[in-house]
Amino acid sequence: MTDTSPAPERLDPRIAHAQEVYTRGKLAIYDKWVLGLFCSAVWKCPAHVMRKLYDTSAGRRHLDIGPGTGYFVDRCRFPVPDPEITLLDLSEECLQMSADRLARFEPQTCRANLMEPLPLPRQHFDSAAMNLVFHTIPGGWEGKGVILKHVAETLRPGGVLFGTTVLAEGVPMSRFTHKLLLEQHRRGNFQNQGDDPQGLERQLARYFPEYEVRIRGAVAVFRATAG
């Protein structure tokens, strides 16, 4: 495993807190509660929307950023029977659980901070996924948009970045959804205060010549092609 994670004193405490949520016990119920219940009933973007994004966008050499339990890679219809998989996260628990689940692919793992340049080969990957990742990272679009630069550098020309993120502004939201969003803010699990579709589009436009953003419930579904 490649490990370039910063020392604890250098890591934004908000990011550190968000990572602490992913304990082995909570990951054991993640698929059922987050992907099964919250995505459908709260954020109004069912997991099958994300699965379709994987099936239509993942390439032979795939980088999965924030793989969680490995649920989507596990079910993805890759264009080849033996894809090259690299898993990247700051959470050791997520990397271990997803790597175990995806052992048949013999995935590489990389523990790194997305806010820093990534310790990965440049222009190497055919695809990169950031599914349900951005809303856990603080800084607003102007701050965390640099992540898109770091990911774009790892993609070959024509390579595809795709993913989803829960937004806090500029999307339809029921009282129930808004209440639960505020609770996630209170707990520090979500750091997406002020995140809106337009901000995401501005940042994608800075680093990718082609991109699209669709809204499904309170979630932005995005896809971008590297130049």
Side-chain angles (χ1 to χ4, degrees), residues 40-144:
S40 295
V42 180
W43 314 128
K44 305 298 183 182
C45 183
H48 71 76
V49 174
M50 303 169 196
R51 285 186 63 178
K52 183 177 180 180
L53 195 58
Y54 270 79
D55 288 344
T56 57
S57 305
R60 182 177 70 84
R61 290 175 296 185
H62 176 70
L63 171 63
D64 213 67
I65 299 169
T69 65
Y71 175 92
F72 291 105
V73 176
D74 187 33
R75 288 164 169 75
C76 180
R77 298 174 183 173
F78 285 98
V80 295
D82 56 345
E84 174 191 306
I85 306 294
T86 299
L87 308 173
L88 185 148
D89 207 299
L90 197 54
S91 165
E92 291 187 56
E93 292 284 3
C94 286
L95 286 176
Q96 182 177 347
M97 176 171 279
S98 56
D100 288 347
R101 185 174 192 167
L102 303 169
R104 67 187 184 278
F105 295 126
E106 300 182 351
Q108 298 293 312
T109 60
C110 177
R111 187 166 181 252
N113 182 1
L114 290 171
M115 298 298 290
E116 303 291 339
L118 301 179
L120 295 170
R122 295 174 64 90
Q123 297 188 345
H124 176 76
F125 295 100
D126 300 305
S127 60
M130 292 188 66
N131 200 52
L132 302 175
V133 173
F134 269 122
H135 58 252
T136 68
I137 301 172
W141 287 124
E142 296 305 314
K144 60 191 174 186

Side-chain angles (χ1 to χ4, degrees), residues 3-17:
D3 190 340
T4 61
S5 55
E9 63 271 14
R10 289 180 50 211
L11 186 63
D12 187 315
R14 295 170 295 177
I15 294 178
H17 174 80

Side-chain angles (χ1 to χ4, degrees), residues 3 20 28 31-32 38 56-57 89 152 172-173 175 208 216:
D3 190 340
E20 291 168 0
D31 292 356
K32 179 178 180 180
F38 268 71
T56 57
S57 305
D89 207 299
M173 199 175 297
R175 278 189 182 180
F208 292 87
R216 181 69 180 259

